[in-house]
Amino acid sequence: MNWDDLRLLSLIAQEGTLRGAARKAGLSPATLSRRLDALEEAVGQKLVERFQGGCIPTAFGADVFALADQMGEIALEVERTRDRQNAHAASGVVRINTDEWLSYFLTTRFAPFHEAYPNVEVEIVTSHRPYNLARREADIAIRPYRPEQLDLVTRHMGTLSFGLYCSRDVATRHAAAFASQQWASMPFVGFDEPRSEFQSDRWLRALPGSPVPWMRCSYGLGILDGVAHGAGLGVLATFLANDQHDLVAAIAHIPELDQDIWLSMHRGLRTSARVRAVVDFMGQVFSQYRETGR
């Protein structure tokens, strides 16, 4: 028996058609069909009933599918074990280009990476201007949109959410207005005029009755600092607010400000051990954020 044919069998079960499984495996449908024939001959029984609209496993085939899936999980665990053992072999510098909110998100969560990959150095380059990955200005980009360049590999990492927050002291001093959302009598913190077209600032300035922010900042973390130290209400990424112990949510979630976060890198870096290590770690970080909001 060709054990690799069992992997193809799993793809057939997942896709439901030979054509779909062949495309995922990088084979022609005719080649995949021949491989399936060879596997059925090797096991001595029919595994799949083939119809014009797709494939249905036989009773025996369903049992073999389940075993093939177990083999797939074992193969993945072998790869993970290999990666753990090879962690010290990955080395070099990985440059990540991202914006301010996501820069804070990464820098406050990357410490465990160094323990697992001590020879990989990480540079987090913060800018509102996206760096050109094709020209290798950076290795990886984390951005709130999906890039369209054909030579890039992209991966959806999650959704960044935002809320309206203030310090506990501000909420106490303006308790009546805070409770009834009478914004006109409360102080606000926002972006300065050159950044007033940012989506979060447009939302803030359109809030019914809200005054123009009396404190205006040229960078997002300035808004966090102002809000955390009692300057007023401000729009913050929810993960930022969750990291603070003395903030109160006036509006915990502003759905229209949600941002889909995409990782992208040049396809030529897919086999780089140092880049793969960083990408895998960020996948874990964003997975935890999706589950816990932190």
Side-chain angles (χ1 to χ4, degrees):
M1 181 186 298
N2 184 343
W3 294 105
D4 192 50
D5 288 343
L6 288 176
R7 180 181 65 84
L8 298 179
L9 193 63
S10 290
L11 289 179
I12 294 171
Q14 293 167 16
E15 297 297 315
T17 66
L18 288 182
R19 184 174 299 278
R23 182 169 54 251
K24 200 163 186 179
L27 302 172
S28 69
T31 298
L32 182 59
S33 181
R34 288 195 297 272
R35 297 275 292 272
L36 179 58
D37 289 340
L39 181 60
E40 289 179 330
E41 184 176 349
V43 300
Q45 293 195 49
K46 198 168 187 63
L47 297 168
V48 172
E49 296 290 352
R50 309 180 205 187
F51 302 96
Q52 187 172 1
C55 300
I56 298 176
T58 63
F60 177 67
D63 291 337
V64 176
F65 283 141
L67 294 172
D69 282 340
Q70 292 178 33
M71 290 183 64
E73 287 299 319
I74 292 171
L76 287 174
E77 185 55 37
V78 169
E79 290 183 2
R80 285 192 284 267
T81 301
R82 177 204 62 196
D83 289 342
R84 286 193 294 270
Q85 292 178 344
N86 291 341
H88 287 261
S91 63
V93 178
V94 178
R95 300 190 81 209
I96 305 170
N97 174 229
T98 189
D99 65 18
E100 194 174 3
W101 296 123
L102 291 168
S103 178
Y104 181 94
F105 179 83
L106 294 176
T107 55
T108 55
R109 288 158 176 78
F110 241 92
F113 177 84
H114 184 60
E115 298 179 13
Y117 298 93
N119 298 316
V120 177
E121 301 172 23
V122 177
E123 292 182 4
I124 299 177
V125 186
T126 307
S127 78
H128 292 298
R129 176 187 71 85
Y131 279 32
N132 190 320
L133 299 182
R135 296 178 182 173
R136 304 298 171 88
E137 291 182 342
D139 300 306
I140 299 169
I142 302 288
R143 291 285 172 182
Y145 53 82
R146 184 177 189 175
E148 298 179 354
Q149 294 96 313
L150 296 178
D151 55 351
L152 298 183
V153 177
T154 61
R155 175 177 170 183
H156 184 250
M157 305 301 285
T159 302
L160 194 63
S161 61
F162 293 81
L164 182 65
Y165 297 90
C166 66
S167 68
R168 197 173 305 278
D169 177 62
V170 168
T172 300
R173 284 191 285 114
H174 300 269
F178 183 87
S180 59
Q181 296 190 344
Q182 297 297 316
W183 310 123
S185 61
M186 297 193 69
F188 280 79
V189 182
F191 282 108
D192 60 5
E193 189 60 34
R195 292 154 189 82
S196 61
E197 288 305 307
F198 284 7
Q199 188 179 10
S200 60
D201 218 57
R202 290 202 307 270
W203 180 89
L204 185 67
R205 293 170 189 255
L207 197 62
S210 65
V212 173
W214 76 272
M215 178 183 285
R216 296 180 288 277
C217 306
S218 62
Y219 61 106
L221 293 183
I223 296 176
L224 170 63
D225 291 338
V227 169
H229 290 83
L233 288 153
V235 175
L236 299 174
T238 53
F239 76 83
L240 275 173
N242 290 338
D243 282 350
Q244 310 298 314
H245 300 298
D246 197 40
L247 293 187
V248 178
I251 300 177
H253 181 212
I254 308 168
E256 54 265 48
L257 295 185
D258 283 354
Q259 295 179 350
D260 283 329
I261 303 303
W262 291 87
L263 178 149
S264 58
M265 65 180 182
H266 194 277
R267 63 176 63 254
L269 292 175
R270 285 179 300 179
T271 58
S272 167
R274 60 184 173 81
V275 173
R276 188 173 65 244
V278 171
V279 170
D280 289 347
F281 180 80
M282 286 195 291
Q284 297 170 20
V285 167
F286 277 95
S287 177
Q288 180 178 347
Y289 170 67
R290 289 194 299 271
E291 293 174 3
T292 67
R294 295 182 177 272

mmCIF file of all heavy atoms in Angstrom, residues 94-109:
data_model
loop_
_atom_site.group_PDB
_atom_site.id
_atom_site.type_symbol
_atom_site.label_atom_id
_atom_site.label_comp_id
_atom_site.label_asym_id
_atom_site.label_seq_id
_atom_site.Cartn_x
_atom_site.Cartn_y
_atom_site.Cartn_z
ATOM 1 N N VAL A 94 13.713 39.014 11.279
ATOM 2 C CA VAL A 94 12.411 39.078 10.601
ATOM 3 C C VAL A 94 11.816 40.463 10.863
ATOM 4 O O VAL A 94 11.641 40.860 12.019
ATOM 5 C CB VAL A 94 11.444 37.988 11.100
ATOM 6 C CG1 VAL A 94 10.089 38.121 10.409
ATOM 7 C CG2 VAL A 94 12.036 36.601 10.855
ATOM 8 N N ARG A 95 11.512 41.188 9.793
ATOM 9 C CA ARG A 95 10.949 42.539 9.922
ATOM 10 C C ARG A 95 9.448 42.475 9.690
ATOM 11 O O ARG A 95 8.980 41.961 8.670
ATOM 12 C CB ARG A 95 11.576 43.500 8.913
ATOM 13 C CG ARG A 95 13.069 43.660 9.042
ATOM 14 C CD ARG A 95 13.551 44.810 8.175
ATOM 15 N NE ARG A 95 13.340 46.104 8.809
ATOM 16 C CZ ARG A 95 13.132 47.236 8.148
ATOM 17 N NH1 ARG A 95 13.035 47.233 6.830
ATOM 18 N NH2 ARG A 95 12.987 48.384 8.796
ATOM 19 N N ILE A 96 8.694 43.004 10.648
ATOM 20 C CA ILE A 96 7.238 43.036 10.562
ATOM 21 C C ILE A 96 6.799 44.493 10.446
ATOM 22 O O ILE A 96 7.120 45.317 11.305
ATOM 23 C CB ILE A 96 6.592 42.407 11.814
ATOM 24 C CG1 ILE A 96 7.122 40.991 12.042
ATOM 25 C CG2 ILE A 96 5.069 42.394 11.678
ATOM 26 C CD1 ILE A 96 6.721 40.413 13.383
ATOM 27 N N ASN A 97 6.061 44.807 9.396
ATOM 28 C CA ASN A 97 5.533 46.154 9.218
ATOM 29 C C ASN A 97 4.050 46.161 9.576
ATOM 30 O O ASN A 97 3.284 45.324 9.101
ATOM 31 C CB ASN A 97 5.730 46.602 7.774
ATOM 32 C CG ASN A 97 5.078 47.946 7.484
ATOM 33 O OD1 ASN A 97 4.354 48.089 6.507
ATOM 34 N ND2 ASN A 97 5.297 48.929 8.336
ATOM 35 N N THR A 98 3.659 47.095 10.449
ATOM 36 C CA THR A 98 2.265 47.164 10.860
ATOM 37 C C THR A 98 1.941 48.571 11.338
ATOM 38 O O THR A 98 2.812 49.439 11.383
ATOM 39 C CB THR A 98 1.985 46.123 11.966
ATOM 40 O OG1 THR A 98 0.590 46.057 12.220
ATOM 41 C CG2 THR A 98 2.719 46.472 13.253
ATOM 42 N N ASP A 99 0.660 48.796 11.663
ATOM 43 C CA ASP A 99 0.280 50.127 12.141
ATOM 44 C C ASP A 99 0.416 50.190 13.664
ATOM 45 O O ASP A 99 0.880 49.243 14.306
ATOM 46 C CB ASP A 99 -1.128 50.498 11.674
ATOM 47 C CG ASP A 99 -2.204 49.598 12.260
ATOM 48 O OD1 ASP A 99 -1.938 48.902 13.277
ATOM 49 O OD2 ASP A 99 -3.328 49.576 11.718
ATOM 50 N N GLU A 100 -0.024 51.302 14.225
ATOM 51 C CA GLU A 100 0.274 51.560 15.630
ATOM 52 C C GLU A 100 -0.447 50.629 16.601
ATOM 53 O O GLU A 100 0.151 50.090 17.528
ATOM 54 C CB GLU A 100 -0.079 53.009 15.951
ATOM 55 C CG GLU A 100 0.497 53.472 17.259
ATOM 56 C CD GLU A 100 0.252 54.954 17.466
ATOM 57 O OE1 GLU A 100 -0.405 55.583 16.614
ATOM 58 O OE2 GLU A 100 0.694 55.457 18.493
ATOM 59 N N TRP A 101 -1.769 50.450 16.391
ATOM 60 C CA TRP A 101 -2.511 49.583 17.302
ATOM 61 C C TRP A 101 -1.932 48.174 17.291
ATOM 62 O O TRP A 101 -1.713 47.556 18.341
ATOM 63 C CB TRP A 101 -3.985 49.522 16.916
ATOM 64 C CG TRP A 101 -4.763 50.797 17.001
ATOM 65 C CD1 TRP A 101 -5.462 51.398 15.993
ATOM 66 C CD2 TRP A 101 -4.952 51.645 18.151
ATOM 67 N NE1 TRP A 101 -6.060 52.550 16.437
ATOM 68 C CE2 TRP A 101 -5.765 52.723 17.760
ATOM 69 C CE3 TRP A 101 -4.516 51.585 19.471
ATOM 70 C CZ2 TRP A 101 -6.154 53.735 18.628
ATOM 71 C CZ3 TRP A 101 -4.881 52.593 20.344
ATOM 72 C CH2 TRP A 101 -5.694 53.649 19.922
ATOM 73 N N LEU A 102 -1.693 47.650 16.083
ATOM 74 C CA LEU A 102 -1.222 46.273 15.966
ATOM 75 C C LEU A 102 0.236 46.136 16.399
ATOM 76 O O LEU A 102 0.651 45.070 16.849
ATOM 77 C CB LEU A 102 -1.423 45.777 14.538
ATOM 78 C CG LEU A 102 -2.897 45.599 14.158
ATOM 79 C CD1 LEU A 102 -3.060 45.404 12.662
ATOM 80 C CD2 LEU A 102 -3.487 44.405 14.911
ATOM 81 N N SER A 103 0.998 47.210 16.269
ATOM 82 C CA SER A 103 2.369 47.194 16.775
ATOM 83 C C SER A 103 2.358 46.977 18.290
ATOM 84 O O SER A 103 3.111 46.156 18.827
ATOM 85 C CB SER A 103 3.067 48.505 16.420
ATOM 86 O OG SER A 103 4.379 48.523 16.953
ATOM 87 N N TYR A 104 1.476 47.706 18.979
ATOM 88 C CA TYR A 104 1.349 47.528 20.430
ATOM 89 C C TYR A 104 0.884 46.104 20.739
ATOM 90 O O TYR A 104 1.383 45.459 21.668
ATOM 91 C CB TYR A 104 0.361 48.546 20.986
ATOM 92 C CG TYR A 104 0.175 48.475 22.491
ATOM 93 C CD1 TYR A 104 0.929 49.280 23.336
ATOM 94 C CD2 TYR A 104 -0.736 47.589 23.064
ATOM 95 C CE1 TYR A 104 0.779 49.221 24.719
ATOM 96 C CE2 TYR A 104 -0.896 47.514 24.440
ATOM 97 C CZ TYR A 104 -0.146 48.324 25.260
ATOM 98 O OH TYR A 104 -0.300 48.248 26.618
ATOM 99 N N PHE A 105 -0.073 45.610 19.966
ATOM 100 C CA PHE A 105 -0.596 44.262 20.172
ATOM 101 C C PHE A 105 0.535 43.234 20.112
ATOM 102 O O PHE A 105 0.628 42.344 20.964
ATOM 103 C CB PHE A 105 -1.651 43.952 19.103
ATOM 104 C CG PHE A 105 -2.243 42.583 19.198
ATOM 105 C CD1 PHE A 105 -3.290 42.317 20.065
ATOM 106 C CD2 PHE A 105 -1.761 41.542 18.412
ATOM 107 C CE1 PHE A 105 -3.843 41.045 20.152
ATOM 108 C CE2 PHE A 105 -2.304 40.268 18.494
ATOM 109 C CZ PHE A 105 -3.348 40.024 19.364
ATOM 110 N N LEU A 106 1.411 43.359 19.114
ATOM 111 C CA LEU A 106 2.478 42.381 18.942
ATOM 112 C C LEU A 106 3.579 42.541 19.981
ATOM 113 O O LEU A 106 4.021 41.552 20.584
ATOM 114 C CB LEU A 106 3.072 42.496 17.531
ATOM 115 C CG LEU A 106 2.135 42.115 16.379
ATOM 116 C CD1 LEU A 106 2.808 42.370 15.043
ATOM 117 C CD2 LEU A 106 1.700 40.654 16.478
ATOM 118 N N THR A 107 4.043 43.773 20.206
ATOM 119 C CA THR A 107 5.172 43.962 21.122
ATOM 120 C C THR A 107 4.846 43.517 22.541
ATOM 121 O O THR A 107 5.740 43.085 23.281
ATOM 122 C CB THR A 107 5.636 45.435 21.152
ATOM 123 O OG1 THR A 107 4.528 46.276 21.479
ATOM 124 C CG2 THR A 107 6.213 45.851 19.814
ATOM 125 N N THR A 108 3.581 43.587 22.928
ATOM 126 C CA THR A 108 3.205 43.185 24.288
ATOM 127 C C THR A 108 2.930 41.692 24.404
ATOM 128 O O THR A 108 2.622 41.200 25.499
ATOM 129 C CB THR A 108 1.956 43.960 24.753
ATOM 130 O OG1 THR A 108 0.896 43.782 23.797
ATOM 131 C CG2 THR A 108 2.268 45.441 24.880
ATOM 132 N N ARG A 109 3.062 40.956 23.299
ATOM 133 C CA ARG A 109 2.750 39.529 23.323
ATOM 134 C C ARG A 109 3.866 38.658 22.751
ATOM 135 O O ARG A 109 3.712 37.439 22.662
ATOM 136 C CB ARG A 109 1.448 39.273 22.544
ATOM 137 C CG ARG A 109 0.219 39.780 23.280
ATOM 138 C CD ARG A 109 -0.955 40.014 22.346
ATOM 139 N NE ARG A 109 -2.143 40.400 23.097
ATOM 140 C CZ ARG A 109 -2.359 41.618 23.594
ATOM 141 N NH1 ARG A 109 -1.451 42.570 23.394
ATOM 142 N NH2 ARG A 109 -3.448 41.900 24.273
#
